[in-house]
Amino acid sequence: EAGVAQSPRYKIIEKRQSVAFWCNPISGHATLYWYQQILGQGPKLLIQFQNNGVVDDSQLPKDRFSAERLKGVDSTLKIQPAKLEDSAVYLCASSLGSGRYEQYFGPGTRLTVT
Amino acid sequence: AQSVTQPDIHITVSEGASLELRCNYSYGATPYLFWYVQSPGQGLQLLLKYFSGDTLVQGIKGFEAEFKRSQSSFNLRKPSVHWSDAAEYFCAVGTNDMRFGAGTRLTVKP
């Protein structure tokens, strides 16, 4: 079974530029999560999708971050414009459903904002 | 509000020695608790989880954890550490809105 795929693996941009990350969850997984992991910290949930609907985006900085999951499969996370403090690893995870279902994590995208 | 505290930022143990990583949580109801491991450049892998029932939970790679409600703790243990166990370990609480601790980095000495 293929795991969660993410691209790119690494990205370096200058502040005020835009960037987009892509995630392909495990086939059949209805729930998709985006996390931000700043160096030295645990992952922080940014947004959760159930199929193509948003379940929770309370910690997403909506003035600069956006995410979509148009067909209930792949998802993109965008930052526009980026700030220095956005430097982090962005992790995508998927699960069969919400609640007690195990979340499977992708390898992440390491973003450096200079 | 739910939260997780991992008191130890970095732990070093010798190969073959026993290991215990601490985790304390704050949660309003019966918690769902998890331990994840993250190797450098990798995503997180679930080691074990607790939802209800037996408070001693067995996981993969020889790890186990014990849920102690009275102490609000969910400590991770392994009787004999292998060099390949060197990684970052995260405790997490919750369901949809999962909260992670800051992690404990494990170094294994030969």
Side-chain angles (χ1 to χ4, degrees):
Chain A
E1 173 180 88
V4 177
Q6 292 188 247
S7 68
R9 291 296 309 277
Y10 305 92
K11 188 75 176 178
I12 300 174
I13 62 172
E14 296 182 350
K15 59 184 179 183
R16 291 187 289 273
Q17 286 187 324
S18 302
V19 65
F21 312 128
W22 174 81
C23 173
N24 180 235
I26 294 173
S27 178
H29 281 196
T31 309
L32 186 147
Y33 310 80
W34 282 103
Y35 290 86
Q36 180 192 58
Q37 186 177 18
I38 293 173
L39 186 64
Q41 299 180 19
K44 181 183 81 170
L45 179 68
L46 292 176
I47 188 168
Q48 176 190 347
F49 292 94
Q50 181 72 19
N51 296 309
N52 61 352
V54 175
V55 173
D56 182 0
D57 63 358
S58 58
Q59 298 189 88
L60 187 73
K62 299 180 186 63
D63 58 333
R64 297 184 299 106
F65 286 64
S66 64
E68 59 183 12
R69 193 184 184 199
L70 291 177
K71 296 184 179 179
V73 181
D74 293 6
S75 177
T76 56
L77 176 70
K78 297 179 182 178
I79 307 175
Q80 180 179 6
K83 292 185 176 182
L84 295 177
E85 58 261 37
D86 298 331
S87 293
V89 175
Y90 291 85
L91 295 165
C92 179
S94 71
S95 62
L96 282 170
S98 58
R100 55 173 61 194
Y101 290 98
E102 178 179 348
Q103 294 186 28
Y104 294 82
F105 285 80
T109 296
R110 181 177 296 278
L111 173 68
T112 302
V113 182
T114 63
Chain B
Q2 58 199 46
S3 64
V4 178
T5 301
Q6 294 181 247
D8 305 305
I9 296 174
H10 186 201
I11 284 183
T12 299
V13 300
S14 298
E15 190 169 17
S18 63
L19 170 70
E20 182 169 28
L21 301 182
R22 296 183 292 164
C23 172
N24 294 99
Y25 67 89
S26 172
Y27 196 75
T30 301
Y32 291 176
L33 294 159
F34 308 82
W35 274 100
Y36 285 86
V37 61
Q38 186 177 36
S39 298
Q42 304 296 315
L44 280 76
Q45 181 184 23
L46 182 67
L47 287 175
L48 46 79
K49 59 190 176 187
Y50 171 80
F51 293 150
S52 64
D54 193 347
T55 57
L56 185 61
V57 181
Q58 301 297 321
I60 63 172
K61 304 184 179 185
F63 285 94
E64 66 177 26
E66 186 171 11
F67 169 60
K68 292 185 177 180
R69 184 186 299 275
S70 61
Q71 298 177 20
S72 297
S73 69
F74 189 57
N75 294 348
L76 182 71
R77 299 194 294 251
K78 187 170 185 177
S80 178
V81 170
H82 188 263
W83 64 266
S84 60
D85 293 325
E88 189 91 18
Y89 290 80
F90 293 94
C91 182
V93 64
T95 54
N96 297 329
D97 183 15
M98 186 142 50
R99 298 298 174 109
F100 286 82
T104 297
R105 180 182 304 171
L106 174 65
T107 298
V108 181
K109 292 190 303 184

